[in-house]
Amino acid sequence: MKRARGGGDEEAPRQNGSAGRRKGEQQQSDGDDGAGAFGPADLQDDDNDPGLRREIRSKYRDLINSVQQNREDMLSPSNNKLTEVLEEANKLFKDVRQAREAALDAQLLVVATDLGKEKASQLFAEGTAFDPTAFAEHLLSFMGLNRLEDGEDDQQNGGAVDGYLPQDAWHRVARRAECCFRTSPSFHYMMGSFHAEPPPPKQRIERQRKAPSKEAKRMMPTQLKKMESSHQEATEKEVERILGYLKSYYQDDPTSPISYFEFVIDPSSFSRTVENIFHMSFLIRDGLARMYLDNDKLPCIAPVEEGEVEAGGSCSRKQCIVAISPKIWKELIEAFDIRDTMIHPPSTQNE
Amino acid sequence: MTQRKRLSHTQSSSQSRRQSGSLVAQEEDDDTTFTQPSTSQVQRGLEKLTPAQVDQKTAEVVQYFLVKDQKKIPVRRADLVKHVVKEYRNIYPEIIKRAARTFDQVFGLKLVEIDPKSHMYILINKLEAAEGVSPINSPTNPKMGLLFVILSVIFMKGGVVRENLIWNTLKKLRVDHGEKHEEFGDVKKVVTDEFVRQRYLEYARIPHTEPIEHEFRWGQRAELEVSKAKILEFMGQLHEQDPQTWSQQYREAHSVPNSSQPSTSSQR
């Protein structure tokens, strides 16, 4: 039976399974069988002989390995090694009886077909073939390889071209390759990134801050003094003025009591009424005036004689809170028929 | 909205891609929380805001992009909305439009959505690089040299290569992916992780391989940024051959003028 050469036609004559067995032409595959005559009984023996099975499988595996290991060798168009492998496989196939061997056969087929495809693609390439080895050689020269003259070191490199490459070998290639690329130039900050170094600047800042704070403190007391004195003066003045009013009214008529309400209320201004009450309270606090209830249980005030002033300690302290609202203020004005203020407002208004 | 699973390596771009498994764990798709507002919604949103406010937000978006661009990792729309746009999300299309205009007119950069499904943006240069070696003496990044080598091999080999081819080629250049390189460090990580995240490369698993193997393809960023014609030109110089001798690659590099490929002539 003729077998077609090359990669493509192996499918047709090869059939897997029992149909592939050629009962007529039993060829010796390796000549190891030893038996002379053939008969149905011998066929049965061959089927089940484990030694033979193992041998066939081993041979298949050898073939597969040889294809995989010597791949580049087999690809070379200068030899027919692939065809030889296929013919070898064809021979082996005749003795295939069991599924395990057939599976190996199929595996070999895959590997061989793959190789065949690659060989075919080589055929289709028109023009000059491209040889990567030659390319590498030329590139090494381009990179500036300094080939050493004596060939003693060749064996060490295991066949690689001897010599040493300059430091910038790959930079040379990169420079030459630049014009083939349309890479966008990368963005980088011109002065690089900033370095964060917090500790030194912080110390400087602290020292500077300490100096101004001292000066600020010095400023504060003088200002406060001024403020307090102005407040105190104003109040004191008012209080004294009211005391003057009180005394003068009392001296006019020492017998008739002065109604508290009539004294403090200013019918034209609620706020001044409140101020009068406020200043009045100072007078009472300081013991310069006294408040008492008359027969009608209405509050009256009178200045305290100088002789009567006692140290506040012996007197029992009395406290009361005076509250007034505009409504009450109006009611008082009506009730007491207050038409005019007894305490005239200060001539110089500070507000 | 249906939950979209994103295989970060195999993006369905305009070219048909084989659906292969992805090594990197699938990133969470926060996009489902953001729906693109309609034009009428945008209009209404704009009416409620002063021009100064919209300008301010646009400027913030521009600045965000510029800083993110330092690492060359694409910007996700979900991140942009969450961190910058925030309550202005109802006028998002308008903001993006204005930001793109700013990039175009002020910086000469192009804002491109490289993945319309998962909405990722990158910035590329609108201006063509100077002919030959750049006169500006800016510092070069050796990783770009490494990337250039890998992209060249992939292109010259038809667009897909098995990873072993790349590793073997690099080994010949004294770059071993199993060892630490003095310039690149962990080479495997740079190639299979960094370049992939930047979308310069795609690193996809080949099915049915035992042990697991992967293949490399150009990533979406490479398709937009890298000029195949210029790579071919360099190849010609290296091998001292006319670029047209590689006829298939030459055709691919100079085909389809309206594709995303950068052209050799400078355009405005």
Side-chain angles (χ1 to χ4, degrees):
Chain A
M1 298 279 286
K2 280 193 180 170
R3 301 271 180 264
R5 293 191 169 240
D9 288 4
E10 16 177 62
E11 296 265 50
R14 309 195 70 201
Q15 293 145 32
N16 289 335
S18 52
R21 267 181 267 157
R22 276 148 191 63
K23 291 167 191 167
E25 302 167 28
Q26 274 286 351
Q27 292 174 16
Q28 304 270 357
S29 54
D30 319 274
D32 278 353
D33 289 350
F38 287 110
D42 292 314
L43 281 171
Q44 299 261 324
D45 283 341
D46 273 352
D47 281 1
N48 296 328
D49 178 8
L52 187 58
R53 302 294 116 219
R54 264 198 299 275
E55 208 178 318
I56 289 173
R57 287 199 297 271
S58 150
K59 286 203 160 76
Y60 264 120
R61 278 192 215 105
D62 285 342
L63 276 177
I64 292 170
N65 276 336
S66 78
V67 173
Q68 283 178 333
Q69 300 299 328
N70 304 324
R71 188 190 175 82
E72 294 205 12
D73 210 17
M74 295 208 170
L75 272 177
S76 165
S78 59
N79 60 41
N80 265 337
K81 286 203 177 147
L82 185 59
T83 320
E84 288 164 17
V85 166
L86 288 172
E87 294 196 323
E88 189 67 34
N90 271 348
K91 286 188 205 161
L92 271 183
F93 187 69
K94 290 192 202 76
D95 289 318
V96 166
R97 300 285 177 274
Q98 294 173 355
R100 276 170 78 177
E101 298 132 35
L104 280 171
D105 183 71
Q107 197 183 342
L108 178 61
L109 186 58
V110 168
V111 171
T113 326
D114 197 50
L115 209 58
K117 179 190 99 173
E118 204 157 323
K119 284 196 83 153
S121 69
Q122 279 183 350
L123 288 174
F124 283 132
E126 316 156 18
T128 325
F130 176 73
D131 182 13
T133 314
F135 170 59
E137 297 256 328
H138 287 121
L139 198 62
L140 283 170
S141 306
F142 178 80
M143 292 203 278
L145 177 77
N146 293 310
R147 291 161 209 270
L148 298 179
E149 299 214 338
D150 56 325
E152 283 177 19
D153 298 328
D154 271 347
Q155 291 156 16
Q156 285 177 19
N157 274 344
V161 178
D162 197 38
Y164 73 97
L165 278 175
Q167 275 284 353
D168 66 339
W170 283 103
H171 285 272
R172 283 195 213 189
V173 182
R175 165 97 41 215
R176 180 61 181 84
E178 262 178 2
C179 65
C180 304
F181 283 78
R182 283 205 310 183
T183 348
S184 61
S186 298
F187 159 79
H188 293 285
Y189 290 105
M190 281 175 74
M191 304 305 272
S193 181
F194 62 89
H195 292 288
E197 289 171 3
K202 265 186 187 171
Q203 287 169 10
R204 279 179 237 141
I205 289 169
E206 281 175 27
R207 273 179 237 140
Q208 282 170 358
R209 277 181 193 158
K210 277 177 189 170
S213 63
K214 282 177 190 168
E215 288 174 36
K217 275 178 188 166
R218 273 181 238 147
M219 289 283 289
M220 288 272 285
T222 52
Q223 284 176 348
L224 279 169
K225 278 176 193 166
K226 281 178 193 169
M227 278 171 64
E228 276 169 19
S229 60
S230 62
H231 268 180
Q232 277 178 345
E233 274 178 14
T235 316
E236 276 176 16
K237 276 184 185 165
E238 266 309 293
V239 169
E240 283 203 28
R241 201 168 65 89
I242 287 171
L243 184 61
Y245 273 113
L246 187 62
K247 280 184 177 172
S248 69
Y249 284 127
Y250 190 71
Q251 274 164 8
D252 287 344
D253 193 358
T255 51
S256 79
I258 306 170
S259 163
Y260 175 72
F261 294 123
E262 282 183 24
F263 185 66
V264 293
I265 286 177
D266 182 343
S268 61
S269 166
F270 175 70
S271 53
R272 257 183 258 126
T273 306
V274 174
E275 274 179 34
N276 295 336
I277 296 173
F278 175 65
H279 295 134
M280 207 48 230
S281 64
F282 279 104
L283 285 174
I284 295 173
R285 180 197 70 173
D286 292 337
L288 297 167
R290 62 186 172 93
M291 194 186 278
Y292 60 94
L293 294 176
D294 69 358
N295 300 336
D296 295 323
K297 302 282 185 196
L298 293 170
C300 297
I301 45 169
V304 170
E305 303 299 320
E306 288 201 15
E308 289 177 41
V309 175
E310 297 161 350
S314 56
C315 288
S316 62
R317 287 212 179 162
K318 285 185 183 136
Q319 281 180 331
C320 81
I321 296 172
V322 181
I324 187 166
S325 73
K327 186 169 169 236
I328 297 172
W329 173 63
K330 283 186 184 151
E331 282 172 6
L332 286 168
I333 291 170
E334 264 188 57
F336 288 96
D337 195 21
I338 301 166
R339 298 213 187 106
D340 203 8
T341 177
M342 288 179 81
I343 303 170
H344 293 286
S347 49
T348 54
Q349 288 287 338
N350 285 342
E351 277 108 43
Chain B
M1 249 195 173
T2 54
Q3 193 79 21
R4 281 176 259 125
K5 281 189 190 166
R6 218 160 53 82
L7 301 174
S8 49
H9 290 303
T10 55
Q11 308 289 353
S12 58
S13 55
S14 51
Q15 305 151 20
S16 59
R17 293 247 188 263
R18 231 167 12 121
Q19 276 292 319
S20 39
S22 144
L23 256 197
V24 176
Q26 294 173 2
E27 297 162 86
E28 255 185 64
D29 194 2
D30 294 327
D31 251 1
T32 50
T33 60
F34 177 73
T35 47
Q36 187 91 333
S38 66
T39 7
S40 57
Q41 280 177 304
V42 172
Q43 271 307 108
R44 268 182 275 133
L46 278 173
E47 283 161 20
K48 294 182 188 159
L49 298 165
T50 66
Q53 284 173 311
V54 183
D55 283 343
Q56 168 75 15
K57 197 45 79 172
T58 307
E60 285 173 20
V61 167
V62 167
Q63 199 162 30
Y64 182 81
F65 265 104
L66 285 173
V67 176
K68 278 284 200 175
D69 187 56
Q70 288 171 357
K71 289 269 161 63
K72 295 292 175 206
I73 291 178
V75 173
R76 300 200 308 153
R77 183 176 81 173
D79 288 336
L80 192 62
V81 170
K82 182 170 154 194
H83 296 300
V84 188
V85 179
K86 294 188 200 169
E87 68 274 15
Y88 286 63
R89 53 175 71 192
N90 56 336
I91 54 161
Y92 176 81
E94 181 64 24
I95 293 181
I96 280 290
K97 198 172 89 181
R98 291 190 191 197
R101 195 168 62 214
T102 306
F103 282 124
D104 181 65
Q105 293 173 348
V106 177
F107 297 96
L109 302 176
K110 214 159 116 178
L111 179 68
V112 185
E113 188 173 24
I114 54 170
D115 189 341
K117 262 199 186 172
S118 52
H119 306 285
M120 317 254 295
Y121 297 96
I122 60 165
L123 284 175
I124 58 171
N125 208 333
K126 261 189 78 186
L127 306 169
E128 286 291 330
E131 280 300 318
V133 182
S134 164
I136 303 170
N137 222 355
S138 58
T140 50
N141 182 1
K143 280 187 191 168
M144 282 296 121
L146 180 66
L147 176 67
F148 175 70
V149 166
I150 297 173
L151 287 174
S152 308
V153 172
I154 297 175
F155 169 58
M156 295 304 285
K157 277 299 205 179
V160 196
V161 289
R162 290 181 98 107
E163 59 178 316
N164 281 326
L165 180 65
I166 297 292
W167 303 136
N168 289 337
T169 311
L170 288 181
K171 200 174 265 180
K172 295 191 177 89
L173 298 170
R174 320 279 177 90
V175 178
D176 189 341
H177 73 295
E179 291 170 9
K180 188 168 174 207
H181 190 263
E182 61 176 11
E183 192 90 59
F184 305 119
D186 184 350
V187 176
K188 184 144 195 253
K189 183 157 181 240
V190 169
V191 174
T192 62
D193 183 47
E194 190 176 322
F195 287 159
V196 172
R197 270 193 293 132
Q198 292 173 335
R199 300 298 197 273
Y200 276 118
L201 291 177
E202 273 184 24
Y203 183 66
R205 193 180 148 181
I206 307 171
H208 310 303
T209 48
E210 199 61 45
I212 298 174
E213 277 183 60
H214 301 82
E215 53 189 20
F216 282 105
R217 283 186 166 92
W218 276 35
Q220 293 144 320
R221 187 189 279 270
E223 294 284 352
L224 288 167
E225 270 189 29
V226 186
S227 160
K228 291 177 175 161
K230 293 207 172 132
I231 289 188
L232 205 55
E233 210 178 289
F234 178 56
M235 285 296 153
Q237 285 171 7
L238 262 193
H239 290 78
E240 286 168 359
Q241 281 177 265
D242 185 353
Q244 295 200 27
T245 57
W246 292 287
S247 48
Q248 200 180 9
Q249 290 89 337
Y250 187 83
R251 237 180 303 126
E252 192 186 329
H254 291 273
S255 69
V256 196
N258 57 349
S259 73
S260 52
Q261 267 286 298
S263 63
T264 44
S265 62
S266 60
Q267 284 175 348
R268 295 246 163 179

mmCIF file of all heavy atoms in Angstrom, chain A residues 167-186:
data_model
loop_
_atom_site.group_PDB
_atom_site.id
_atom_site.type_symbol
_atom_site.label_atom_id
_atom_site.label_comp_id
_atom_site.label_asym_id
_atom_site.label_seq_id
_atom_site.Cartn_x
_atom_site.Cartn_y
_atom_site.Cartn_z
ATOM 1 N N GLN A 167 28.680 48.824 26.846
ATOM 2 C CA GLN A 167 27.663 49.165 27.840
ATOM 3 C C GLN A 167 26.381 49.709 27.223
ATOM 4 O O GLN A 167 25.280 49.426 27.665
ATOM 5 C CB GLN A 167 28.215 50.241 28.794
ATOM 6 C CG GLN A 167 29.023 49.692 29.930
ATOM 7 C CD GLN A 167 28.171 49.075 31.009
ATOM 8 O OE1 GLN A 167 26.944 49.169 30.971
ATOM 9 N NE2 GLN A 167 28.798 48.420 31.938
ATOM 10 N N ASP A 168 26.568 50.510 26.185
ATOM 11 C CA ASP A 168 25.397 51.196 25.634
ATOM 12 C C ASP A 168 24.802 50.456 24.450
ATOM 13 O O ASP A 168 24.107 51.053 23.629
ATOM 14 C CB ASP A 168 25.787 52.611 25.208
ATOM 15 C CG ASP A 168 26.760 52.578 24.038
ATOM 16 O OD1 ASP A 168 27.415 51.520 23.834
ATOM 17 O OD2 ASP A 168 26.882 53.591 23.322
ATOM 18 N N ALA A 169 25.083 49.143 24.386
ATOM 19 C CA ALA A 169 24.630 48.377 23.217
ATOM 20 C C ALA A 169 23.136 48.525 22.984
ATOM 21 O O ALA A 169 22.682 48.851 21.887
ATOM 22 C CB ALA A 169 24.992 46.908 23.402
ATOM 23 N N TRP A 170 22.364 48.284 24.029
ATOM 24 C CA TRP A 170 20.906 48.343 23.871
ATOM 25 C C TRP A 170 20.416 49.773 23.689
ATOM 26 O O TRP A 170 19.383 50.006 23.058
ATOM 27 C CB TRP A 170 20.216 47.675 25.061
ATOM 28 C CG TRP A 170 20.281 46.189 24.956
ATOM 29 C CD1 TRP A 170 21.100 45.354 25.633
ATOM 30 C CD2 TRP A 170 19.511 45.366 24.068
ATOM 31 N NE1 TRP A 170 20.887 44.062 25.241
ATOM 32 C CE2 TRP A 170 19.919 44.037 24.286
ATOM 33 C CE3 TRP A 170 18.511 45.626 23.127
ATOM 34 C CZ2 TRP A 170 19.374 42.959 23.587
ATOM 35 C CZ3 TRP A 170 17.964 44.549 22.441
ATOM 36 C CH2 TRP A 170 18.390 43.237 22.681
ATOM 37 N N HIS A 171 21.178 50.743 24.211
ATOM 38 C CA HIS A 171 20.790 52.136 23.983
ATOM 39 C C HIS A 171 20.931 52.482 22.509
ATOM 40 O O HIS A 171 20.133 53.262 21.964
ATOM 41 C CB HIS A 171 21.662 53.069 24.817
ATOM 42 C CG HIS A 171 21.306 53.065 26.267
ATOM 43 N ND1 HIS A 171 20.353 53.909 26.793
ATOM 44 C CD2 HIS A 171 21.757 52.317 27.291
ATOM 45 C CE1 HIS A 171 20.237 53.662 28.098
ATOM 46 N NE2 HIS A 171 21.067 52.710 28.424
ATOM 47 N N ARG A 172 21.961 51.888 21.891
ATOM 48 C CA ARG A 172 22.121 52.148 20.457
ATOM 49 C C ARG A 172 20.924 51.657 19.674
ATOM 50 O O ARG A 172 20.420 52.333 18.772
ATOM 51 C CB ARG A 172 23.375 51.428 19.928
ATOM 52 C CG ARG A 172 24.644 52.110 20.274
ATOM 53 C CD ARG A 172 25.775 51.563 19.437
ATOM 54 N NE ARG A 172 27.004 51.580 20.215
ATOM 55 C CZ ARG A 172 28.202 51.321 19.723
ATOM 56 N NH1 ARG A 172 28.327 50.975 18.463
ATOM 57 N NH2 ARG A 172 29.260 51.382 20.495
ATOM 58 N N VAL A 173 20.486 50.463 20.031
ATOM 59 C CA VAL A 173 19.324 49.891 19.346
ATOM 60 C C VAL A 173 18.094 50.762 19.606
ATOM 61 O O VAL A 173 17.322 51.064 18.683
ATOM 62 C CB VAL A 173 19.046 48.450 19.820
ATOM 63 C CG1 VAL A 173 17.864 47.865 19.072
ATOM 64 C CG2 VAL A 173 20.259 47.576 19.642
ATOM 65 N N ALA A 174 17.943 51.163 20.845
ATOM 66 C CA ALA A 174 16.782 51.984 21.208
ATOM 67 C C ALA A 174 16.780 53.287 20.429
ATOM 68 O O ALA A 174 15.748 53.739 19.928
ATOM 69 C CB ALA A 174 16.782 52.252 22.709
ATOM 70 N N ARG A 175 17.942 53.888 20.300
ATOM 71 C CA ARG A 175 18.043 55.162 19.590
ATOM 72 C C ARG A 175 17.661 54.953 18.119
ATOM 73 O O ARG A 175 16.937 55.752 17.536
ATOM 74 C CB ARG A 175 19.473 55.707 19.715
ATOM 75 C CG ARG A 175 19.782 56.805 18.753
ATOM 76 C CD ARG A 175 19.656 58.220 19.227
ATOM 77 N NE ARG A 175 20.108 58.582 20.529
ATOM 78 C CZ ARG A 175 19.472 59.501 21.263
ATOM 79 N NH1 ARG A 175 18.386 60.069 20.818
ATOM 80 N NH2 ARG A 175 19.931 59.833 22.444
ATOM 81 N N ARG A 176 18.164 53.882 17.538
ATOM 82 C CA ARG A 176 17.839 53.619 16.141
ATOM 83 C C ARG A 176 16.359 53.304 15.972
ATOM 84 O O ARG A 176 15.735 53.644 14.974
ATOM 85 C CB ARG A 176 18.684 52.420 15.647
ATOM 86 C CG ARG A 176 18.434 52.030 14.200
ATOM 87 C CD ARG A 176 18.763 53.164 13.250
ATOM 88 N NE ARG A 176 18.493 52.805 11.866
ATOM 89 C CZ ARG A 176 17.300 52.901 11.291
ATOM 90 N NH1 ARG A 176 16.266 53.333 11.980
ATOM 91 N NH2 ARG A 176 17.134 52.546 10.027
ATOM 92 N N ALA A 177 15.776 52.673 17.004
ATOM 93 C CA ALA A 177 14.376 52.259 16.919
ATOM 94 C C ALA A 177 13.408 53.414 17.135
ATOM 95 O O ALA A 177 12.254 53.326 16.744
ATOM 96 C CB ALA A 177 14.104 51.182 17.972
ATOM 97 N N GLU A 178 13.887 54.490 17.762
ATOM 98 C CA GLU A 178 12.996 55.609 18.107
ATOM 99 C C GLU A 178 12.172 56.094 16.936
ATOM 100 O O GLU A 178 10.985 56.368 17.060
ATOM 101 C CB GLU A 178 13.836 56.799 18.609
ATOM 102 C CG GLU A 178 13.910 56.893 20.105
ATOM 103 C CD GLU A 178 14.786 58.051 20.560
ATOM 104 O OE1 GLU A 178 15.293 58.790 19.705
ATOM 105 O OE2 GLU A 178 14.942 58.177 21.766
ATOM 106 N N CYS A 179 12.823 56.194 15.770
ATOM 107 C CA CYS A 179 12.121 56.771 14.626
ATOM 108 C C CYS A 179 11.050 55.833 14.098
ATOM 109 O O CYS A 179 10.214 56.236 13.301
ATOM 110 C CB CYS A 179 13.094 57.143 13.533
ATOM 111 S SG CYS A 179 13.925 55.727 12.827
ATOM 112 N N CYS A 180 11.060 54.585 14.524
ATOM 113 C CA CYS A 180 10.021 53.671 14.063
ATOM 114 C C CYS A 180 8.771 53.751 14.935
ATOM 115 O O CYS A 180 7.733 53.184 14.602
ATOM 116 C CB CYS A 180 10.517 52.227 14.074
ATOM 117 S SG CYS A 180 11.990 51.978 13.109
ATOM 118 N N PHE A 181 8.887 54.423 16.073
ATOM 119 C CA PHE A 181 7.769 54.487 17.008
ATOM 120 C C PHE A 181 7.140 55.860 16.964
ATOM 121 O O PHE A 181 7.839 56.860 16.830
ATOM 122 C CB PHE A 181 8.258 54.247 18.446
ATOM 123 C CG PHE A 181 8.537 52.808 18.767
ATOM 124 C CD1 PHE A 181 9.700 52.197 18.341
ATOM 125 C CD2 PHE A 181 7.643 52.078 19.517
ATOM 126 C CE1 PHE A 181 9.966 50.882 18.653
ATOM 127 C CE2 PHE A 181 7.902 50.764 19.837
ATOM 128 C CZ PHE A 181 9.062 50.157 19.406
ATOM 129 N N ARG A 182 5.830 55.893 17.119
ATOM 130 C CA ARG A 182 5.178 57.192 17.288
ATOM 131 C C ARG A 182 4.685 57.295 18.730
ATOM 132 O O ARG A 182 3.510 57.497 18.985
ATOM 133 C CB ARG A 182 3.997 57.318 16.327
ATOM 134 C CG ARG A 182 4.430 57.602 14.917
ATOM 135 C CD ARG A 182 3.367 58.291 14.132
ATOM 136 N NE ARG A 182 2.068 57.629 14.218
ATOM 137 C CZ ARG A 182 1.006 58.031 13.556
ATOM 138 N NH1 ARG A 182 1.093 59.068 12.768
ATOM 139 N NH2 ARG A 182 -0.143 57.397 13.669
ATOM 140 N N THR A 183 5.628 57.139 19.671
ATOM 141 C CA THR A 183 5.222 57.188 21.071
ATOM 142 C C THR A 183 4.986 58.624 21.484
ATOM 143 O O THR A 183 5.700 59.511 21.067
ATOM 144 C CB THR A 183 6.347 56.641 21.966
ATOM 145 O OG1 THR A 183 7.308 55.999 21.170
ATOM 146 C CG2 THR A 183 5.820 55.688 22.993
ATOM 147 N N SER A 184 3.984 58.802 22.311
ATOM 148 C CA SER A 184 3.774 60.142 22.846
ATOM 149 C C SER A 184 4.830 60.390 23.912
ATOM 150 O O SER A 184 5.103 59.514 24.728
ATOM 151 C CB SER A 184 2.380 60.247 23.444
ATOM 152 O OG SER A 184 2.243 59.327 24.490
ATOM 153 N N PRO A 185 5.433 61.560 23.911
ATOM 154 C CA PRO A 185 6.444 61.839 24.930
ATOM 155 C C PRO A 185 5.781 61.876 26.304
ATOM 156 O O PRO A 185 4.682 62.392 26.444
ATOM 157 C CB PRO A 185 6.983 63.209 24.533
ATOM 158 C CG PRO A 185 6.015 63.768 23.576
ATOM 159 C CD PRO A 185 5.227 62.672 22.988
ATOM 160 N N SER A 186 6.462 61.307 27.280
ATOM 161 C CA SER A 186 5.856 61.237 28.606
ATOM 162 C C SER A 186 5.964 62.571 29.299
ATOM 163 O O SER A 186 6.920 63.301 29.125
ATOM 164 C CB SER A 186 6.548 60.187 29.470
ATOM 165 O OG SER A 186 6.392 58.937 28.893
#
